[in-house]
Amino acid sequence: MVDHEGLATHWIKDKLLNVIVQMGLEKLPDLPNVPSALEIVRDPHKKRVLTLILMRQETGRPVAAPPDAPADRVAALRRAFDATMKDPAFIAEAAKLQLEIEPMTGTAIQKMLTEAFATPKTIIAEAGELLKPDAQKKKK
């Protein structure tokens, strides 16, 4: 909800927008009093399904390397990515284009993917059913 030009930020500060739930693995710092969907869902099974679904939006546009890439090459790629995310020219250009830059570290993405790939097939199947376009129509 936050942008570098302050275009949408005032919607929250001026209470022009009433956000009732956050849909993400992490809560937004601008909305500390708004519950996340993961806080609302109590059933561990349903929470696991929701977590798997929410993981899709967290990675954005990840940069990948082959699984057999040498560790030193992976480390160099991660350092270069992290440096780019902190580069003043890159940040200025993103701000000019009104793009939000919220990078995840390679370690964080790797941890999330490891968790996703360890998800039981029953959870994957349930999440897949909920994501089908017809799933919403059938629930009504």
Side-chain angles (χ1 to χ4, degrees):
M1 297 300 309
V2 177
D3 63 38
H4 299 286
E5 300 296 319
L7 297 174
T9 306
H10 82 280
W11 293 355
I12 295 170
K13 289 181 182 173
D14 296 342
K15 301 198 185 305
L16 299 173
L17 181 68
N18 185 19
V19 181
I20 58 172
V21 68
Q22 296 186 53
M23 296 299 291
L25 295 177
E26 304 276 329
K27 287 178 68 167
L28 297 172
D30 291 349
L31 302 170
N33 298 321
V34 176
S36 74
L38 289 172
E39 291 173 333
I40 295 170
V41 175
R42 301 277 186 232
D43 179 274
H45 176 84
K46 290 179 181 178
K47 188 175 280 202
R48 190 130 188 225
V49 171
L50 180 58
T51 298
L52 185 63
I53 290 170
L54 293 175
M55 281 181 183
R56 298 172 350 137
Q57 70 190 32
E58 294 295 321
T59 57
R61 294 179 177 93
V63 177
D68 59 349
D72 63 332
R73 186 94 25 96
V74 171
L77 288 169
R78 288 181 176 176
R79 281 192 308 274
F81 177 83
D82 292 343
T84 300
M85 296 300 107
K86 295 174 185 171
D87 179 69
F90 175 77
I91 294 168
E93 183 67 17
K96 187 169 83 176
L97 297 171
Q98 298 181 3
L99 298 174
E100 292 183 30
I101 304 297
E102 297 176 348
M104 286 183 74
T105 65
T107 303
I109 289 177
Q110 186 173 2
K111 180 181 175 197
M112 186 185 317
L113 290 175
T114 299
E115 183 181 332
F117 283 112
T119 302
K121 290 182 181 183
T122 55
I123 300 287
I124 294 169
E126 193 170 335
E129 283 299 313
L130 290 171
L131 294 172
K132 284 184 180 177
D134 291 343
Q136 294 303 321
K137 294 176 189 172
K138 291 177 183 175
K139 294 256 180 192
K140 292 182 180 178

